[in-house]
Amino acid sequence: MSTKKKMKLKKFSFHPITAFILLTFGVLVLSWLLSIFQLQATYTIVRPENLELESVFVSVKNLLNYDGIKYIISNAASNFASFAPLVSLLIALIGLSIAHASGLIDAFIKRVTLNIDNKKLTFILILIAIFSSIINDVGYVVLIPLAALLYLANGRNPLLGIVAAFCGVSFGYGATLFVGSMEVNLISLTTSSARLIDPTFHVSLTSNLFIIIAFSIILAVIGTIVIENLVVKKLGKYRLSLEETQELEKLTFPIEEQKKIELEINEKKGLKHAYIVGLIIIVLFIYMIIPNFPGSGMLLDMKETTYLNQLFGTNSYFQDGFTYMVSIFFAITGIAYGVGAKTLKSDKQLIEKASDYIKNIGSLIVLLFFASQFIAVFKESNIGTVITAIGANLIKNLSFSGIPLILLVLIVILVSNLFMTSPVSKWKILSPVVVPLMMQSNISPQFAQFILRAGDSITKGITPLLAYFVIYLGYLNIYNKNREPITIRKAISYAMPCCLIMGAAWILLTIGWYLIGLPIGPGVFPTL
């Protein structure tokens, strides 16, 4: 009986590409049905220049009609070309492929990570993944491919590294080790909403600094425990291919003494070259973000008045070009290693080896195309905006205060996050309601902003509407050795233990911080 049930379930599992196509058609039908029932909502936004409230009416747009089909066909190319994960991934892979082709990544793994305990390595990976959210979504495109190589070289399941990196970035997105782009983007909305109650209220950029540092370390510990004790069991053992076995043997198997001595000399020389060149590149990049020195500050938006806005603002050159900077770093240090270690004979050899590394992403490119169409169509339908606006009205109409209000806001945010993954877009709708209500309940606007960060992180990694979810899904399938592809449902199931346990930690720690009254930043507390 159970075998028959399993066979029936298999019939309903679709390849991820097919799933995104069906999801797109599902959105079209859903938009038609919801428009028939006239699903709509009104929300308010704050005009920062005069602190006036403006009502915005939004309704579900029917896309299963002449105009909807015309939009889908005419915008398919632009939706794909402007899809952030596509551009970011291709740029990141250029640098990573050169570093891998030269042997730099293998040499670094062999001499550094092979000597690190598995749990410590997972902790370091998750902590770096959490920290990476300081600059938007760079962690998804850099750490996921790197984590797969790292775990494979350490004789572990590369899928485990992919899941660990993805969960670290997604479920730790609201916690970093310093103020970053998310803070800069949210701060103006929080300040404007707070001034509806107190016209002189000021929210500093470091107002969440203490609590995000503490949460980043705590979540990294919890994530490590979950990955090493639960997710590793779900994934099982990994069967190495012949090519992967040969690559692993190069790192771990003993070789002839003379060749070993020669190889070690070349590796040390190559790594020395890479370290020196890498340090020079880092110094140059740092100089580019220091203002008021000769030729410095070229990556800053000097139209902004504060340094953090210059560094992480909407038009910051540093923020917009960071993925390219990382790619340049890997490419140049890779070439430096190859020259020093004598692993590169010519530019032709480098290009051929680099091309071999990225030859398996063809199916991922196709997956990115259909995912971009699905996300664009869903956004055009306004379903996510309506759901978030309904959530804002629910908070406004229920007269909660204290912990019940905090829990209600968290629930609304984590539910709306399944349909609207941008924290700034959600906060634009929710902050004019949430911040004044919390201030009237003696909860500080700064803590309200942190609650947004918490709710946004809890469910970020379990929705296919997250643009970077497709990179996670694509890399799972690149390293998948089973005949059956890893579906969207299965990919979510791998991340679910982290979602549930790290999510519970977010909620319990947030409430605990509020009850104890610990400072959340310099001179800032959960209460007013």
Side-chain angles (χ1 to χ4, degrees), residues 98-326:
I98 292 173
H100 184 263
S102 69
L104 171 61
I105 292 177
D106 285 346
F108 182 81
I109 289 171
K110 176 182 175 182
R111 295 192 169 274
V112 179
T113 66
L114 285 180
N115 300 319
I116 300 176
D117 177 74
N118 286 339
K119 291 182 180 178
K120 288 180 182 176
L121 191 61
T122 299
F123 172 78
I124 293 168
L125 173 63
I126 294 176
L127 186 63
I128 293 173
I130 291 171
F131 179 61
S132 72
S133 62
I134 194 172
I135 306 175
N136 290 335
D137 305 299
V138 67
Y140 292 114
V141 296
V142 175
L143 290 178
I144 287 177
L146 267 179
L149 291 173
L150 182 64
Y151 275 62
L152 183 61
N154 278 268
R156 305 193 76 193
N157 193 336
L159 301 183
L160 190 64
I162 293 168
V163 175
F166 176 75
C167 289
V169 179
S170 299
F171 303 123
Y173 197 83
T176 60
L177 295 177
F178 192 65
V179 176
S181 56
M182 186 177 183
E183 199 79 31
V184 171
N185 293 328
L186 295 176
I187 210 83
S188 60
L189 298 172
T190 307
T191 301
S192 298
S193 298
R195 288 179 178 174
L196 294 172
I197 301 296
D198 181 355
T200 63
F201 202 94
H202 173 70
V203 181
S204 68
L205 286 166
T206 57
S207 60
N208 284 171
L209 185 60
F210 295 165
I211 194 168
I212 60 176
I213 290 173
F215 270 56
S216 63
I217 296 169
I218 294 169
L219 288 169
V221 172
I222 293 171
T224 302
I225 294 170
V226 175
I227 292 291
E228 292 293 340
N229 292 279
L230 297 178
V231 179
V232 70
K233 294 177 182 177
K234 288 177 72 72
L235 292 172
K237 292 183 178 180
Y238 182 77
R239 297 192 303 273
L240 291 170
S241 65
L242 179 61
E243 184 181 343
E244 288 168 340
T245 303
Q246 290 171 345
E247 288 294 321
L248 193 57
E249 284 175 354
K250 292 178 185 178
L251 294 176
T252 57
F253 278 32
I255 55 178
E256 293 178 17
E257 193 64 29
Q258 186 61 36
K259 288 184 178 179
K260 182 179 179 182
I261 293 170
E262 186 180 342
L263 180 63
E264 285 186 352
I265 291 172
N266 288 338
E267 281 183 351
K268 286 179 181 178
K269 190 182 291 185
L271 286 172
K272 184 179 179 180
H273 280 61
Y275 290 152
I276 292 171
V277 171
L279 183 61
I280 293 170
I281 295 170
I282 290 171
V283 169
L284 286 173
F285 283 156
I286 291 173
Y287 193 76
M288 290 178 187
I289 60 173
I290 297 176
N292 305 322
F293 281 96
S296 71
M298 71 169 63
L299 294 178
L300 299 176
D301 179 13
M302 301 310 294
K303 294 178 183 178
E304 295 288 347
T305 54
T306 65
Y307 178 70
L308 283 173
N309 277 305
Q310 292 172 355
L311 190 63
F312 295 116
T314 307
N315 299 313
S316 162
Y317 302 101
F318 172 75
Q319 182 171 262
D320 292 343
F322 190 77
T323 303
Y324 186 49
M325 291 161 62
V326 172

Side-chain angles (χ1 to χ4, degrees), residues 257-452:
E257 193 64 29
Q258 186 61 36
K259 288 184 178 179
K260 182 179 179 182
I261 293 170
E262 186 180 342
L263 180 63
E264 285 186 352
I265 291 172
N266 288 338
E267 281 183 351
K268 286 179 181 178
K269 190 182 291 185
L271 286 172
K272 184 179 179 180
H273 280 61
Y275 290 152
I276 292 171
V277 171
L279 183 61
I280 293 170
I281 295 170
I282 290 171
V283 169
L284 286 173
F285 283 156
I286 291 173
Y287 193 76
M288 290 178 187
I289 60 173
I290 297 176
N292 305 322
F293 281 96
S296 71
M298 71 169 63
L299 294 178
L300 299 176
D301 179 13
M302 301 310 294
K303 294 178 183 178
E304 295 288 347
T305 54
T306 65
Y307 178 70
L308 283 173
N309 277 305
Q310 292 172 355
L311 190 63
F312 295 116
T314 307
N315 299 313
S316 162
Y317 302 101
F318 172 75
Q319 182 171 262
D320 292 343
F322 190 77
T323 303
Y324 186 49
M325 291 161 62
V326 172
S327 184
I328 290 172
F329 175 82
F330 278 110
I332 297 178
T333 53
I335 292 170
Y337 173 85
V339 172
K342 300 178 182 178
T343 57
L344 297 179
K345 307 296 183 203
S346 65
D347 59 335
K348 182 182 177 183
Q349 181 201 30
L350 174 63
I351 292 168
E352 286 178 352
K353 283 188 175 182
S355 300
D356 284 341
Y357 173 70
I358 58 176
K359 67 183 179 182
N360 294 323
I361 67 164
S363 61
L364 177 54
I365 299 296
V366 178
L367 186 62
L368 283 163
F369 173 78
F370 287 106
S372 69
Q373 305 310 308
F374 163 62
I375 292 171
V377 168
F378 187 87
K379 186 177 180 181
E380 183 68 14
S381 73
N382 289 332
I383 294 173
T385 306
V386 172
I387 290 172
T388 305
I390 290 171
N393 293 326
L394 177 66
I395 294 170
K396 183 166 59 177
N397 294 329
L398 294 175
S399 55
F400 288 170
S401 62
I403 292 176
L405 177 59
I406 292 172
L407 288 172
L408 175 63
V409 172
L410 274 171
I411 291 168
V412 168
I413 292 170
L414 63 88
V415 170
S416 64
N417 191 50
L418 295 171
F419 308 97
M420 181 183 279
T421 59
S422 167
V424 177
S425 298
K426 286 194 295 291
W427 200 227
K428 188 176 182 180
I429 296 171
L430 293 169
S431 62
V433 173
V434 171
V435 172
L437 275 177
M438 288 201 163
M439 290 179 74
Q440 291 167 358
S441 187
N442 198 39
I443 299 172
S444 67
Q446 297 93 329
F447 194 65
Q449 180 177 283
F450 177 75
I451 292 169
L452 179 275

Side-chain angles (χ1 to χ4, degrees), residues 26-39 60-64 383:
V27 171
L28 296 179
V29 174
L30 185 62
S31 70
W32 169 64
L33 288 172
L34 294 179
S35 64
I36 289 176
F37 289 102
Q38 297 183 336
L39 187 68
V60 173
K61 185 188 294 186
N62 178 19
L63 297 178
L64 197 62
I383 294 173

